[in-house]
Amino acid sequence: MTWRRGLVFAMVQPMKALIAAGGRATRMRPITHTINKHLIPLANRPMIVNAIEKIVEAGITEIIINVNPGETEIQKALGDGSAWGAKIQYLEQQGGPKGVAHTILNAQHLIGDEPVLFYLGDNIILGSVKPFVEKFENEGLDCLLALSRVRDPQRFGVPEFEGDRIIRVLEKPKNPPSPFAVTGIYAYSSKIFDAVRAIQPSDRGEYEISDANTWIIQNGGKVSYQEITGWWKDTGLPQDLLEGNALMLDQVRDGNGPAFADADRHVSIQGFVDIGEGTMLGPNVLIRGPVSIGKKCKLSECYIGPYTSLGDGCIIENSEIEHSIIFEQASIQNAGRIVDSIIGQKAKVTDAKSTLPRGNKLIIGDNSVVEL
C-alpha cells in the first residue's frame, strides 16, 4: 500500500493475461492436422502473435498460454516471451476439452486473486485493448465484455440488453436478441472462478463462457461492455482466415520491397509489399500489394496479386495467385490462376498436363475443397 498524509491508497492489483490456444480446430481441417491453428500465418506471422502484441501494448507482461496436452510447437514458436518484453508461462489443459470457461478455471492456480485479461488466441483486432483494460480497472468491474456488431451473431455469444444494461448472454442463439457478438476478449475479477464452479455443462458437454458471464450478472457482479472500434475477426472458418490475412496485410506499410530481393530487371512491384531476405524475383514477375513474401522464395514468370502471403521457401513459377495464404516451402508451377485459396506446408500444385498419365491427380484430406 501507499501511505500519504494519513490516507491509505490501495495499490491496483497487477493484471495477468490468459490466452486460450488449445482446441482441435476441426473446422480448419486438413490444415490443422499438421499445425496448431494459432500458429497459422496471417501476413506471414502466427496469428497468436497479434494477441501477444495487443496484450503487451496494454501494459500486461505476465502471460499464461493454455495449450493442448503434449503441445510443443507453440512453445518453440513463442519461447519465453522475451521477444515482446513479456514473461510467458505455458499450461496444459487438464481434464479434456470442457469448454472455454473451463480454460479459466484450469489456470486459477497461476492467476491467483489477481484480475485477468482473457483472450482467445484466434481473435485478431485492429484497435488497442489498452482502453478496454483501463475501463475495467477504473470502474472496478468484475466483468467487462468486448462487443462487436456482426452480420451473423448466431455464431457467437450474444448479449441481451434491457436499456443499455446487459441482462444475460446467450450462446449461439437461433434468434439473437441483439446484433452484437461477444468477442473473444474479456476482463474478469476473481469472481469468474465462482461463476465457472457454479454453472453446469451445456447440452454439448462444455462449460460455456456465456453462462459464466450470465452468472456474474445475475449474482451481483459489476458488469459492463465496450464496443470494439475498427475491425475484429474471429478466425473460426477457412474463409475467415483469408479475410483475417487480408486485414493484416492492409497494415503492411513501407515493406522491404526489392531491398532484400535479388530482382531481375523485368520485375514490377506495385503498392505495399514486404519481401524476406534471400528471395529471388524474376524474370517477368508482377507483384501488386498488399503482399507479404517470406525468406528464400523463388518467383519467376508469375503474378502475385493483392492480399496474398507466401511463406518462407516457396517456389512460384508460371502461375497467378491472388487473395490466398501459401504456407512455407509450397511449390506452385504451371498452375494457371489460383484465388481465394489456402495451400499448406510443402504442398505441390502443378498443371495436370505436365505429367503422365494426364488427368487430375488428387490426394485430399478431410474437409478439403477442390474446384477443377
Side-chain angles (χ1 to χ4, degrees):
M1 292 186 178
T2 301
W3 295 83
R4 188 177 300 166
R5 294 182 182 178
L7 299 177
V8 179
F9 297 88
M11 294 180 64
V12 176
Q13 285 183 299
M15 178 176 273
K16 294 181 179 179
L18 172 63
I19 300 177
R24 300 301 176 185
T26 56
R27 292 179 295 174
M28 291 290 184
R29 291 176 181 171
I31 294 295
T32 50
H33 277 308
T34 56
I35 186 173
N36 185 297
K37 173 186 176 181
H38 302 86
L39 295 179
I40 290 175
L42 300 182
N44 270 331
R45 299 194 312 162
M47 70 169 75
I48 195 173
V49 169
N50 180 263
I52 293 172
E53 290 180 343
K54 297 298 181 183
I55 289 167
V56 172
E57 191 267 337
I60 301 170
T61 57
E62 289 194 52
I63 302 174
I64 304 158
I65 300 182
N66 186 88
V67 298
N68 292 326
E71 173 69 54
T72 59
E73 294 305 309
I74 288 182
Q75 293 91 319
K76 290 178 184 177
L78 304 179
D80 62 3
S82 57
W84 297 276
K87 177 184 176 183
I88 294 178
Q89 291 179 276
Y90 299 93
L91 176 65
E92 291 189 357
Q93 179 66 32
Q94 301 296 316
K98 294 184 178 180
V100 172
H102 190 262
T103 299
I104 300 176
L105 195 61
N106 188 59
Q108 183 177 7
H109 65 288
L110 295 180
I111 299 170
D113 293 328
E114 297 173 11
V116 62
L117 179 68
F118 183 42
Y119 206 121
L120 302 190
D122 56 358
N123 279 235
I124 57 172
I125 65 170
L126 172 61
S128 171
V129 298
K130 188 173 183 179
F132 182 80
V133 171
E134 290 174 344
K135 177 180 174 70
F136 175 83
E137 293 176 341
N138 293 339
E139 297 183 12
L141 300 173
D142 292 302
C143 170
L144 180 60
L145 305 177
L147 305 183
S148 180
R149 192 181 296 268
V150 296
R151 297 187 302 269
D152 50 355
Q154 64 274 10
R155 286 180 53 195
F156 307 97
V158 179
E160 181 177 347
F161 291 91
E162 191 173 89
D164 61 355
R165 185 174 66 91
I166 296 178
I167 58 173
R168 62 174 177 166
V169 181
L170 304 175
E171 183 66 21
K172 297 181 175 65
K174 292 182 180 179
N175 299 300
S178 74
F180 292 99
V182 177
T183 73
I185 305 171
Y186 316 80
Y188 292 114
S189 72
S190 59
K191 200 173 185 71
I192 184 61
F193 302 120
D194 297 328
V196 179
R197 286 193 175 89
I199 63 176
Q200 297 298 313
S202 65
D203 292 341
R204 60 179 183 168
E206 296 187 1
Y207 292 89
E208 307 288 357
I209 195 68
S210 295
D211 292 344
N213 293 331
T214 297
W215 188 94
I216 295 174
I217 293 168
Q218 296 178 348
N219 286 272
K222 192 173 182 182
V223 178
S224 188
Y225 62 91
Q226 182 166 304
E227 186 174 354
I228 286 180
T229 57
W231 50 256
W232 160 74
K233 194 64 190 172
D234 167 73
T235 55
L237 298 169
Q239 58 265 35
D240 296 327
L241 287 178
L242 291 171
E243 185 175 348
N245 187 60
L247 291 168
M248 297 298 289
L249 284 171
D250 266 333
Q251 308 311 306
V252 174
R253 293 294 182 267
D254 299 322
N256 296 319
F260 272 161
D262 181 1
D264 185 273
R265 64 189 182 91
H266 298 294
V267 169
S268 178
I269 297 178
Q270 303 169 1
F272 296 106
V273 178
D274 184 67
I275 301 176
E277 189 171 6
T279 285
M280 300 174 62
L281 304 179
N284 299 323
V285 171
L286 170 60
I287 306 173
R288 286 182 178 154
V291 162
S292 177
I293 299 174
K295 301 175 182 178
K296 297 182 179 179
C297 295
K298 295 180 180 180
L299 282 65
S300 63
E301 305 286 345
C302 66
Y303 164 67
I304 308 299
Y307 301 116
T308 297
S309 60
L310 307 179
D312 294 347
C314 286
I315 298 174
I316 314 294
E317 296 178 356
N318 195 28
S319 304
E320 297 187 6
I321 305 173
E322 192 167 292
H323 195 255
S324 295
I325 302 172
I326 314 300
F327 285 39
E328 61 184 22
Q329 299 183 53
S331 173
I332 301 175
Q333 298 171 299
N334 306 307
R337 183 171 173 80
I338 294 173
V339 298
D340 302 336
S341 297
I342 302 173
I343 297 176
Q345 297 178 29
K346 300 182 180 179
K348 295 182 178 181
V349 181
T350 189
D351 182 9
K353 298 177 182 178
S354 64
T355 58
L356 295 174
R358 291 181 179 176
N360 297 310
K361 303 175 182 64
L362 308 174
I363 301 174
I364 301 175
D366 297 348
N367 301 317
S368 295
V369 177
V370 177
E371 296 183 7
L372 300 175

